[in-house]
């Protein structure tokens, strides 16, 4: 069962449907949408067009990416009732205990998986490719805690595929954007190395990560990680046969934002939803003015 936190949205007649599930009231919804709009500034800065990823991911595709070796506990499977259950359900009987059959698909636990799987067998060219997407993601956690840890949440990502140097630059610019945006919002973030590699933890790549970390997280003062920069090396390029022109298997990297967690951090910093929304409006206006000035200077 989830434990309410200081930044859990007040009920206001809207009750939680279950553990890890929150219905946001109008003010918190405005915070969520406004923050996502502000975070799309990274995609604009990097000229990463917006795409929409698939709502389900094939289990066999995830298996080829070592997903189940690393995150067997996180996967939320999409099942359907067997034909034997149809008549009882149509008669109004309870669905509890009715047999389910697997579909071979899972709900996404991160936005980038669907994008990368959709690019299997493609060539992004010598210049590489950048794309941005936001999606609902789902993780089967051991516990839930307000906006900090949810069963279903929104994740925005900006993904790069191309050269090794291009991937490094992508993450450098992504990290700069995170800190700049945090400063506009009055957030004090700490950057630290994370220890959840996306590939087999027992493999040589995982051992290499101990010497050369591939993931860094940006956390609020209470320890909540609200953004990360992730360097995949050429792991996905090799596994999915994604090429970067004459450079061979593509290197990839992504910058990820947990949008509800940004809401949590903003509430934590400013004491309440109305104050947080005021600060968000100020930050958005400042960011818009800066973007307009930069565009005019380079025109």
């Amino acid at each position: 069962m989830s434990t309410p936190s200081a930044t859990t949205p007040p009920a206001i007649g809207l009750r939680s449907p279950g553990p890890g599930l929150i219905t946001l009231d109008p003010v918190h919804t405005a915070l969520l949408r406004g923050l996502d709009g502000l975070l799309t500034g990274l995609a604009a800065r990097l000229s990463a067009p917006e795409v929409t990823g698939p709502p389900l991911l094939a289990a066999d595709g995830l298996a080829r990416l070592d997903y189940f070796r690393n995150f067997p506990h996180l996967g939320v499977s999409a099942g359907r009732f067997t034909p034997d259950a149809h008549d009882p359900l149509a008669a109004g009987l309870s669905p509890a205990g009715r047999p389910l059959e697997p579909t071979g698909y899972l709900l996404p636990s991160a936005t980038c998986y669907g994008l990368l799987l959709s690019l299997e067998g493609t060539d992004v060219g010598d210049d590489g490719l950048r794309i941005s997407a936001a999606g609902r993601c789902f993780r089967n956690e051991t516990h839930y805690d307000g906006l900090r840890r949810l069963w279903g949440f929104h994740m925005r990502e900006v993904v790069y595929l191309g050269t090794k140097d291009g991937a490094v630059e992508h993450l450098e610019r992504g990290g700069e954007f995170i800190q700049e945006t945090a400063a506009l919002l009055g957030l004090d973030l700490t950057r630290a190395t994370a220890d959840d590699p996306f590939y087999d933890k027992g493999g040589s790549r995982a051992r290499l990560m101990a010497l050369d970390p591939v993931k860094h997280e940006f956390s609020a003062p209470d320890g909540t990680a609200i953004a990360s920069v992730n360097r995949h090396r050429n792991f996905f390029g090799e596994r999915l046969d994604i090429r970067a022109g004459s450079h061979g298997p593509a290197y990839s990297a992504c910058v990820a934002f947990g949008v509800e967690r940004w809401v949590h951090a903003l509430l934590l910093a400013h004491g309440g939803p109305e104050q947080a929304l005021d600060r968000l409006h100020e930050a958005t206006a400042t960011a818009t003015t800066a973007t307009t000035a930069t565009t005019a200077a380079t025109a």
Side-chain angles (χ1 to χ4, degrees):
M1 191 71 177
S2 62
T3 302
S5 73
T7 58
T8 300
I12 313 181
L14 300 173
R15 302 182 62 183
S16 169
L21 305 173
I22 286 181
T23 302
L24 299 179
D25 64 26
V27 178
H28 288 83
T29 297
L31 284 169
L32 185 80
R33 295 186 183 278
L35 279 165
D36 185 54
L38 186 62
L39 296 173
T40 59
L42 177 60
R45 182 179 297 187
L46 297 178
S47 299
E50 184 83 0
V51 301
T52 302
L56 296 172
L57 305 178
D60 60 354
L62 290 173
R64 287 187 284 117
L65 303 179
D66 290 346
Y67 178 84
F68 299 106
R69 287 175 179 251
N70 295 297
F71 312 114
H73 56 295
L74 292 184
V76 180
S77 178
R80 57 187 166 210
F81 288 107
T82 65
D84 292 345
H86 294 174
D87 287 343
L89 291 172
L93 298 182
S94 171
R98 302 293 169 190
L100 293 170
E101 61 183 8
T103 62
Y105 289 85
L106 276 75
L107 300 177
S109 62
T111 300
C112 65
Y113 281 115
L115 305 182
L116 292 165
L117 286 166
S118 298
L119 288 167
E120 182 171 9
T122 63
D123 190 334
V124 299
D126 290 337
D127 293 333
L129 172 71
R130 283 189 175 92
I131 50 178
S132 177
R136 272 287 179 100
C137 296
F138 302 85
R139 295 181 182 177
N140 183 41
E141 302 278 13
T142 56
H143 69 284
Y144 301 102
D145 182 9
L147 292 171
R148 299 181 63 191
R149 190 178 294 271
L150 289 163
W151 196 356
F153 55 94
H154 294 80
M155 180 183 293
R156 172 162 290 282
E157 295 197 41
V158 183
V159 179
Y160 169 84
L161 296 105
T163 66
K164 181 178 181 179
D165 289 343
V168 171
E169 180 198 14
H170 184 77
L171 297 187
E172 289 176 348
R173 296 180 68 182
E176 292 170 358
F177 175 85
I178 291 169
Q179 294 288 28
E180 290 173 12
T181 303
L184 287 176
L185 292 167
L187 304 180
D188 182 18
L189 302 184
T190 301
R191 176 171 177 157
T193 300
D195 60 356
D196 56 341
F198 44 83
Y199 37 70
D200 182 5
K201 294 181 176 65
S204 60
R205 291 176 184 268
R207 290 192 293 272
L208 177 60
M209 181 184 173
L211 302 175
D212 182 19
V214 299
K215 178 174 182 176
H216 290 86
E217 292 180 333
F218 296 79
S219 299
D222 69 343
T224 303
I226 68 173
S228 64
V229 291
N230 308 269
R231 184 161 54 94
H232 311 145
R233 300 195 176 93
N234 58 357
F235 175 78
F236 291 117
E238 290 181 342
R239 290 291 177 94
L240 296 175
D241 187 28
I242 303 172
R243 301 171 303 285
S246 61
H247 300 281
Y251 282 72
S252 60
C254 71
V255 182
F257 307 91
V259 188
E260 280 86 352
R261 289 187 171 197
W262 279 79
V263 175
H264 163 82
L266 203 56
L267 294 169
L268 189 69
H270 300 294
E274 297 292 350
Q275 298 93 321
L277 194 57
D278 287 343
R279 184 57 183 254
L280 173 59
H281 289 158
E282 293 172 5
T284 301
T286 300
T288 300
T289 300
T291 300
T292 300
T294 300
T295 302
T298 57

